[in-house]
Each structure stands twice: as structure tokens, then as C-alpha cells.
Amino acid sequence: MPGGGGAALSARQPLSALDIAFWDIEGSGSGVLVYRLLGGPFGSVYRVYASHWLGGVKTPEEAYEGAREAVRRGFQGFKWIPLRAPDLRENERRDSQGGRTDGGRPGRRRAGR
């Protein structure tokens, strides 16, 4: 599965799809929009974020450019995994030796977030 999450998350995805499908069937059969079945609108303004927008960046400068582009397009935030699995293992090794790092901090700071 892209982005990780493991078997537990993978098993829940089909159930989530079925849940949405059943709500849709109920709404279609009764002529009511799903959001009304769920209690109606809960707000009129929703903040959005870009998910995994910065895939593949290798430098703080690339993170900065990607973050700035996400902000330019109207996203108010982004979800990003700054390290690949081998990098995570290296980061854990480095952290255990007292050399803590934060690969996302320069991109967040320079994007104004």
C-alpha cells in the first residue's frame, strides 16, 4: 500500500468503501443526499490539505518549493512523509546516537507555516 499503514489499514479500506456505498444506496433510494442522512451540513468553510504533495523531495530547498506551490494553489497545509523506509531506519539509528534531525522543518518554516 502506498504510504504505509500496514495490514490493519488495508483491511479497513474495503469496509469503508462498503460503508460509503450503503449510504449512497440509501440516499438514492430515498431521494435524500447523503450529507442530509448524516445530519446535514456541519459548516460552510473547510480547510483542505494536500496529501503526500512533496513525494520524492531530497533537499530542504525542494521541500520549500513544493510547500510554496501547495500554498500558492490554496492548500492550507500538506501531509508529507519526508523519509523513505531506508531513510527512516538511518534516522532512527542517528537519533539513538543523539543526532536528531527534522527533515520537514526547513520546508515548513520557509513556506510560512
Side-chain angles (χ1 to χ4, degrees):
M1 165 196 267
L9 182 59
S10 295
R12 284 181 279 182
Q13 286 177 328
L15 293 176
S16 181
L18 283 173
D19 184 50
I20 293 168
F22 289 141
W23 280 109
D24 191 45
I25 291 167
E26 178 64 27
S28 295
S30 61
V32 177
L33 297 173
V34 171
Y35 84 95
R36 293 249 185 241
L37 291 174
L38 297 173
F42 290 97
S44 59
V45 177
Y46 299 97
R47 296 178 64 187
V48 297
Y49 66 92
S51 181
H52 303 288
W53 185 267
L54 302 174
V57 301
K58 294 182 175 51
T59 68
E61 292 75 26
E62 289 176 348
Y64 165 71
E65 290 302 326
R68 294 293 292 180
E69 178 62 17
V71 170
R72 186 190 72 71
R73 290 184 180 214
F75 293 105
Q76 297 175 345
F78 52 87
K79 180 171 70 173
W80 171 47
I81 300 171
L83 301 169
R84 298 173 298 120
D87 297 332
L88 287 171
R89 286 190 286 279
E90 173 61 23
N91 196 47
E92 288 173 359
R93 184 193 61 75
R94 197 176 314 126
D95 187 36
S96 70
Q97 297 172 354
R100 194 168 175 89
T101 63
D102 181 359
R105 185 176 296 141
R108 287 191 306 269
R109 187 178 302 131
R110 292 175 71 183
R113 300 281 184 227

